[in-house]
Structure formats: C-alpha cells, structure tokens
Amino acid sequence: MKKILVYLFLCFAPLSAWSQDTPATQEEADKLDSLVLKLMNYKRYDDALTAKLREVDILKQLRGEKDSAYLCNKAFLGKIYYRLRKAEEAAKITTEAAEEYGEHVSNKDENYAFYLDNASIYWASINEFAKAKELSRRSLTVYEQLGKQDFDLAN
C-alpha cells in the first residue's frame, strides 16, 4: 500500500508544477488557431470560442493591441459569435476590430474592407440597418479604391 501511495505521489506531483501560469508563446497561439478551425469544421462553436478567446489573449500579450495578427483574430471572434447566434456581440466585436485595424494598421487595404463588410452583415442581421449601410458604404469605398471586385458583394 505504501508503494502505491508513493507511486501516485510521484505521478501527480509534477501536475501542480505544470498547472502554474506559464508565459504564453506564439507556438501555443498557433496551435489554438489550428484547433479553432477544426472545432469550427465540427460545428463546436462554444469550444471554438473558448479557444479563440485564449488565442486572442495570448496575441494581445505577445504582440500588443495594435498588431494586425491580434486584430485579425479579434475580428474572427465575430464569426464565431455569429455562428453561436449572438449577432449583436458579433457586430460589436467585429466593428471594434475593424475600427482598430483602420486606426493602427491601415484603412486602405482589403482586410479593413473585409472586416467592415462582415460587421455590416452582422449589424443588418439584428435590424440595425443604418449602421450596416454606413459600414457597407465604407467597405465599398475601400474596395473601389483598390480596384478590386468582391464577388460576394456582387451577388
């Protein structure tokens, strides 16, 4: 019996050390990103949201709030919220990410236009048509300046 207790102690003692808060790494964020995509494919949106929130938090710690990778993943949270039928939360977070992207990265590239376009769809889905129209116009203005045709918008 004594040997079993010693054996159990040796097995579980390292767990307390591993459970300590360890600094986040880019590798962990990359693994979470891959996990989120797999969970989305299996329609496990609650789990995907939990993983994406952790990934966004890691990127915020590692890169800061003005980094494009952080803002891109923050905008992706909107997609997950929308799939969870939380359109208002999706609209708010995607709009926030788009505005921050425009302020800190660029307000003239296609990512900015894409985030605005997604936000406009989310606002329209909760019957906030004035806000949706404003964001859609801003998105189209950027697309027109780029000389690009977004076939999703054309359909």
Side-chain angles (χ1 to χ4, degrees):
M1 181 71 173
K2 194 174 188 182
K3 286 183 180 181
I4 292 173
L5 290 174
V6 170
Y7 177 72
L8 288 173
F9 175 75
L10 291 174
C11 287
F12 293 108
L15 291 178
S16 63
W18 291 334
S19 67
Q20 300 293 326
D21 287 337
T22 56
T25 63
Q26 183 64 46
E27 181 180 343
E28 183 182 357
D30 293 342
K31 286 180 182 178
L32 285 169
D33 189 52
S34 177
L35 176 64
V36 167
L37 295 176
K38 289 176 185 173
L39 291 168
M40 294 285 287
N41 284 337
Y42 289 109
K43 298 182 183 345
R44 292 178 51 191
Y45 303 123
D46 287 321
D47 296 331
L49 178 62
T50 303
K52 184 54 87 173
L53 286 169
R54 173 70 180 135
E55 179 189 358
V56 167
D57 186 50
I58 290 170
L59 291 172
K60 184 178 179 179
Q61 291 174 21
L62 292 176
R63 297 173 175 238
E65 294 182 9
K66 297 179 181 181
D67 183 72
S68 62
Y70 163 74
L71 294 170
C72 173
N73 283 284
K74 186 176 180 179
F76 193 84
L77 279 171
K79 182 176 187 175
I80 300 172
Y81 278 118
Y82 190 72
R83 297 275 174 92
L84 286 168
R85 303 201 186 290
K86 297 179 181 179
E88 187 171 352
E89 190 68 30
K92 288 177 183 176
I93 199 157
T94 306
T95 303
E96 185 179 305
E99 298 297 344
E100 290 173 5
Y101 188 91
E103 182 180 334
H104 301 299
V105 181
S106 173
N107 61 359
K108 299 189 184 318
D109 71 3
E110 57 193 26
N111 287 332
Y112 176 66
F114 180 70
Y115 303 149
L116 289 174
D117 185 43
N118 283 351
S120 73
I121 292 168
Y122 303 149
W123 284 110
S125 72
I126 57 172
N127 299 327
E128 292 286 338
F129 299 115
K131 183 74 172 171
K133 185 177 178 181
E134 172 207 340
L135 293 171
S136 185
R137 284 184 191 269
R138 286 171 50 195
S139 174
L140 285 171
T141 301
V142 174
Y143 278 125
E144 287 171 351
Q145 291 172 351
L146 292 171
K148 301 231 177 191
Q149 294 180 351
D150 185 337
F151 295 106
D152 289 336
L153 293 174
N155 291 329

